[in-house]
């Protein structure tokens, strides 16, 4: 849920050393003339994570007080290392459609499946088991509808199953899968994805194996459609904007970024209302009358994340899963270092 204007977490103090250019050759966490030695207490004080918007498929949140390398690690793990379940193997019993076997198999693999990967194991490469493999069948045949006038041109009226949709994939539970997935029956996330079209007499009969994987192996396993971040824009007014130029100044920014309000003396003044809405277009710098009156920059440790789930996870579960994977990586490195120094 968005934070209210009165919530203290919304008003993050902008320290001078946090404002600046993010491009440069300095290594992360170090800036000339500043002391950025690691301090756990200071890190906890500066760390802020607040959810700005949450929908059934999208989460937008602010991550403040971390280095760009940490923010980017979370983004990359979200895209490439949070596991999902997707169709990996297809056995073609029959395909008389105009679409080639391998093309249809590829399309089936890209259909996101509403299967909790935390209840599945990775496939060992040996004999498939109920723990690492799920079976889906796709059996569809197209036939004519008897009694339809010859003047009818709509295929949906003339034929049965002229369109093959993802919702026609039928899960075939094996072993204890029926009990294990009783709360959420495995099926495509979206049942209305068009896979191919058929005409009378044509049919497809596919036997599909779905397995657990990660986006680093294939994009079909990626749980996110979008995982990106941007730095919070910071608009610095170096001086008062003349009254005759205030409307023009306001129109140089997207709606809601700049507002004109009355000061204590009843005089109109330009104020920065909501820098989050700014797109950093730099339009204001084109006008000579605003020269030396405004500076556009960004807060280098205030990251605005937007993550859109494909559907296998609720959006609020994606970031915790990515952090768990990062922690496991850190633990693996620590264990390796312990063994290295113990051996030495």
């Amino acid at each position: 849920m968005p934070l209210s204007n009165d919530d203290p977490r919304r008003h993050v103090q902008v320290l001078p050393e946090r404002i600046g250019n993010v491009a440069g050759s300095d290594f992360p966490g170090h800036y000339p003339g500043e002391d950025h030695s690691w301090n756990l207490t200071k890190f906890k004080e500066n760390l802020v994570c607040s959810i700005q918007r949450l929908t059934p498929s999208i989460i937008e949140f602010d991550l403040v007080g971390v280095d760009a390398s940490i923010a980017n690690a979370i983004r990359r793990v979200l895209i490439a290392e949070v596991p999902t379940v997707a169709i990996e193997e297809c056995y073609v019993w029959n395909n008389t459609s105009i679409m080639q076997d391998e093309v249809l198999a590829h399309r089936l693999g890209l259909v996101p499946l509403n299967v909790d990967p935390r209840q599945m194991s990775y496939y060992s490469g040996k004999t498939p088991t109920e723990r690492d493999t799920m079976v889906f069948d796709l059996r569809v045949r197209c036939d004519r509808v008897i009694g339809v006038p010859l003047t009818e041109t709509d295929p949906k009226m003339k034929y049965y199953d002229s369109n093959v949709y993802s919702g026609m994939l039928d899960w075939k539970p094996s072993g204890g899968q029926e009990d294990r997935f009783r709360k959420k029956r495995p099926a495509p996330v979206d049942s209305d994805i068009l896979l191919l079209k058929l005409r009378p007499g044509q049919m497809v009969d596919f036997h599909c194996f779905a397995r657990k994987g990660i986006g680093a192996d294939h994009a079909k396993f990626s749980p996110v459609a979008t995982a990106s971040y941007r730095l919070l824009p910071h608009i610095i007014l170096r001086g008062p904007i003349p009254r005759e130029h205030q409307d023009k100044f306001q129109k140089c920014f997207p709606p809601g970024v700049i507002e004109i309000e009355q000061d204590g003396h009843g005089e109109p003044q330009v104020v920065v209302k909501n820098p989050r809405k700014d797109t950093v277009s730099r339009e204001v710098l084109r006008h000579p009358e605003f020269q030396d009156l405004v500076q556009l920059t960004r807060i280098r440790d205030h990251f605005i994340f937007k993550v859109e789930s494909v559907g296998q996870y609720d959006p609020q579960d994606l970031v915790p899963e990515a952090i768990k994977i990062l922690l496991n990586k850190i633990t693996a490195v620590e264990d390796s270092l312990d063994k290295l120094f113990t051996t030495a």
Side-chain angles (χ1 to χ4, degrees):
M1 296 293 292
L3 299 179
S4 65
N5 291 329
D6 297 331
D7 196 311
R9 292 174 297 172
R10 175 179 288 278
H11 305 287
V12 180
Q13 182 184 5
V14 181
L15 302 177
E17 65 269 15
R18 288 174 52 203
I19 304 172
N21 192 348
V22 296
S25 58
D26 295 327
F27 59 84
H30 173 76
Y31 305 94
E34 302 175 13
D35 180 16
H36 287 271
S37 56
W38 173 253
N39 186 300
L40 182 59
T41 302
K42 184 178 179 181
F43 174 77
K44 289 181 178 179
E45 291 175 352
N46 294 335
L47 181 64
V48 175
C49 184
S50 60
I51 297 175
Q52 301 297 325
R53 184 165 75 100
L54 180 61
T55 71
S57 60
I58 296 175
I59 182 171
E60 291 184 6
F61 64 95
D62 288 7
L63 183 61
V64 186
V66 301
D67 190 77
S69 59
I70 303 299
N72 197 45
I74 294 174
R75 182 189 68 85
R76 291 175 65 91
V77 170
L78 282 169
I79 295 173
E81 298 192 51
V82 174
T84 65
V85 175
I87 291 176
E88 182 75 354
E89 294 180 359
C90 292
Y91 294 89
V92 183
W93 303 139
N94 196 359
N95 178 17
T96 56
S97 71
I98 63 171
M99 184 173 289
Q100 298 92 335
D101 296 346
E102 59 272 21
V103 175
L104 180 54
H106 181 67
R107 291 177 68 86
L108 288 169
L110 292 174
V111 173
L113 301 177
N114 192 12
V115 180
D116 189 349
R118 291 165 287 196
Q119 299 188 44
M120 297 281 290
S121 302
Y122 285 102
Y123 179 55
S124 63
K126 300 179 181 178
T127 303
T129 67
E130 63 177 88
R131 284 286 175 181
D132 57 35
T133 303
M134 303 191 79
V135 177
F136 291 85
D137 282 345
L138 179 67
R139 293 190 179 96
V140 183
R141 177 185 175 87
C142 179
D143 290 305
R144 294 184 182 275
V145 178
I146 300 175
V148 175
L150 296 177
T151 56
E152 180 63 56
T153 59
D154 186 358
K156 293 182 180 179
M157 301 297 295
K158 296 172 61 178
Y159 313 128
Y160 292 111
D161 295 331
S162 59
N163 291 345
V164 180
Y165 295 99
S166 55
M168 296 178 177
L169 279 167
D170 186 22
W171 175 51
K172 300 296 183 182
S174 59
Q177 288 182 347
E178 187 75 57
D179 292 332
R180 187 147 41 102
F181 295 96
R182 187 178 300 276
K183 292 183 179 179
K184 184 191 292 187
R185 183 177 178 84
V189 170
D190 189 344
S191 62
D192 201 34
I193 300 174
L194 180 63
L195 298 176
L196 77 158
K197 296 186 177 184
L198 299 177
R199 287 300 179 262
Q202 295 180 348
M203 70 172 298
V204 289
D205 188 355
F206 276 56
H207 189 61
C208 309
F209 285 0
R211 298 196 173 103
K212 183 176 179 180
I214 59 176
D217 295 331
H218 195 285
K220 66 184 178 184
F221 292 112
S222 182
V224 295
T226 299
S228 61
Y229 63 80
R230 61 188 177 95
L231 293 175
L232 178 67
H234 188 58
I235 303 169
I236 303 172
L237 299 179
R238 296 298 188 185
I241 307 299
R243 179 182 295 187
E244 62 271 19
H245 296 318
Q246 288 180 358
D247 288 338
K248 183 177 180 180
F249 185 85
Q250 184 182 29
K251 293 178 180 178
C252 289
F253 297 88
V257 176
I258 301 296
E259 296 291 343
I260 301 175
E261 299 180 351
Q262 303 292 328
D263 62 11
H265 303 286
E267 294 293 328
Q269 295 291 336
V270 169
V271 296
V272 180
K273 195 68 175 180
N274 190 354
R276 296 178 62 89
K277 295 183 178 180
D278 186 31
T279 57
V280 198
S281 66
R282 305 174 69 85
E283 169 66 20
V284 69
L285 301 181
R286 295 178 61 247
H287 305 283
E289 57 266 36
F290 301 133
Q291 187 175 2
D292 300 329
L293 292 180
V294 62
Q295 178 183 352
L296 303 180
T297 182
R298 301 177 188 179
I299 302 176
R300 66 190 179 200
D301 65 345
H302 190 140
F303 302 93
I304 302 174
F305 271 83
K306 180 179 180 180
V307 179
E308 181 179 355
S309 173
V310 175
Q312 297 95 333
Y313 293 86
D314 292 330
Q316 64 270 21
D317 294 336
L318 278 169
V319 176
E321 287 297 319
I323 292 175
K324 288 179 185 178
I325 293 171
L326 276 175
L327 291 175
N328 289 336
K329 289 176 174 288
I330 294 171
T331 301
V333 172
E334 289 178 339
D335 293 342
S336 299
L337 289 174
D338 290 341
K339 292 179 181 179
L340 176 64
F341 286 108
T342 300
T343 304

